[in-house]
Amino acid sequence: MKLALSSQGTGLDDVLSGFGRCRYFVLYDTDSEQITTISNEHNMVAGRGAGTRAAQDVVKTEAGAVITSQIGPKAVSYLQGKDMPVYVSEAQSVQQAVQDFLAGTLRAL
């Protein structure tokens, strides 16, 4: 499964951040353990609707789930409408959030 994690950087050691205005989405493939990233910088400076636009971008990646430190209700609604579970994590790093997901300690909203 491909996970989309909101982050301030492009790697596993970077800080997990809020969804709509994060700098990047780290895409982690749980099968191959490969990562790729997509920029979200265009939504960092956007006015209203940044979360929904970020959600639309994430859906295009074909991720199977989203992990973030915080997310707004409109983005959650959009993602859930696309059958994409959303997990909110208190992890400090992308890596820890992935580990928590794999351990089954995160609960979907």
Side-chain angles (χ1 to χ4, degrees), residues 3-4 6-7 10-11 14-15 24-25 30 39 45 49 53 57 65 69 72 79 85 87-89 96 99 102 106:
L3 304 173
S6 55
S7 176
T10 60
D14 288 302
V15 176
Y24 299 98
F25 287 103
T30 60
S39 174
V45 295
R53 284 192 298 279
D57 292 342
S69 65
L79 292 166
Y87 298 87
V88 174
S89 172
Q96 185 61 53
Q99 291 173 346
L102 296 173
L106 298 179

Side-chain angles (χ1 to χ4, degrees), residues 20-97:
R21 298 190 191 282
C22 67
R23 187 171 301 274
Y24 299 98
F25 287 103
V26 175
L27 305 174
Y28 179 84
D29 187 313
T30 60
D31 297 324
S32 69
E33 299 182 355
Q34 299 266 332
I35 65 167
T36 56
T37 58
I38 61 169
S39 174
N40 188 49
E41 291 191 28
H42 59 283
N43 286 318
M44 288 180 64
V45 295
R48 299 175 59 104
T52 302
R53 284 192 298 279
Q56 291 167 343
D57 292 342
V58 167
V59 167
K60 291 176 189 173
T61 69
E62 299 182 357
V66 168
I67 303 174
T68 185
S69 65
Q70 71 179 51
I71 187 169
K74 292 178 184 175
V76 170
S77 178
Y78 181 85
L79 292 166
Q80 289 175 338
K82 299 294 183 180
D83 294 323
M84 186 176 295
V86 177
Y87 298 87
V88 174
S89 172
E90 294 180 10
Q92 295 300 306
S93 71
V94 171
Q95 173 111 10
Q96 185 61 53

